[in-house]
Amino acid sequence: MPWPLDGPELALALYREYAHPRALVDETGALVAFGEYYFKPPATVRFARLIVAPNRRGQRIIDTLIDRLAADAARHRTSDTLELAVFADNSPAKRANLRLGFIPRQDVLSDAILTMQRHP
Ligand SMILES: CC(C)(COP(=O)(O)OP(=O)(O)OC[C@H]1O[C@@H](n2cnc3c(N)ncnc32)[C@H](O)[C@@H]1OP(=O)(O)O)[C@@H](O)C(=O)NCCC(=O)NCCS
């Protein structure tokens, strides 16, 4: 839980309670990846806890995970900006996110964490 919480931060923290957790499985039912999305007011879908099984990394599974999460979110609301955050030293994740069209937000200032967005 971040602290201090101002009004918008509190609203965001409460929205996170309504995250939609999703698992990606292969044809045998084995768990391949996991991720969550939640709706961040006014018009953003934010992804969280994205992770690909260690033995399946480097196979672009993140592309399928993001596609499926975005499609699922779009069933509730369309045309939202997609957003995620990544630790600045997480090079594999940053490369994958850039390849998928996510651009670092310049207005969110943090040395340790990069907020990235993909517009509709
Ligand atoms: C970040 C992550 C989700 C990427 O998923 P992915 O399906 O492996 O994505 P990609 O296949 O596009 O690979 C991304 C980079 O990981 C690197 N990679 C390849 N094999 C790897 C392996 N076995 N282990 C770690 N990284 C590997 C590749 O170099 C690739 O970079 P490249 O495109 O320049 O070659 C995944 O590495 C992961 O689950 N990491 C731990 C959780 C995490 O960091 N989540 C943050 C998400 S914002």
Side-chain angles (χ1 to χ4, degrees), residues 23 26 31 40 47 55 60 62 69-70 91 93 101 107 109 115 118:
D26 68 14
L31 181 63
K40 179 181 154 186
F47 300 125
N55 63 337
R60 307 286 196 246
I62 187 67
L69 290 173
S91 302
D107 56 327
L109 291 180
T115 301
R118 189 169 88 186

Side-chain angles (χ1 to χ4, degrees), residues 28-69:
T28 70
L31 181 63
V32 168
F34 174 86
E36 296 176 348
Y37 67 85
Y38 57 90
F39 296 106
K40 179 181 154 186
T44 298
V45 169
R46 171 100 172 200
F47 300 125
R49 300 193 177 103
L50 302 175
I51 186 159
V52 172
N55 63 337
R56 302 297 297 266
R57 290 180 193 165
Q59 301 171 25
R60 307 286 196 246
I61 294 206
I62 187 67
D63 301 31
T64 307
L65 181 66
I66 295 277
D67 278 358
R68 299 281 176 88
L69 290 173

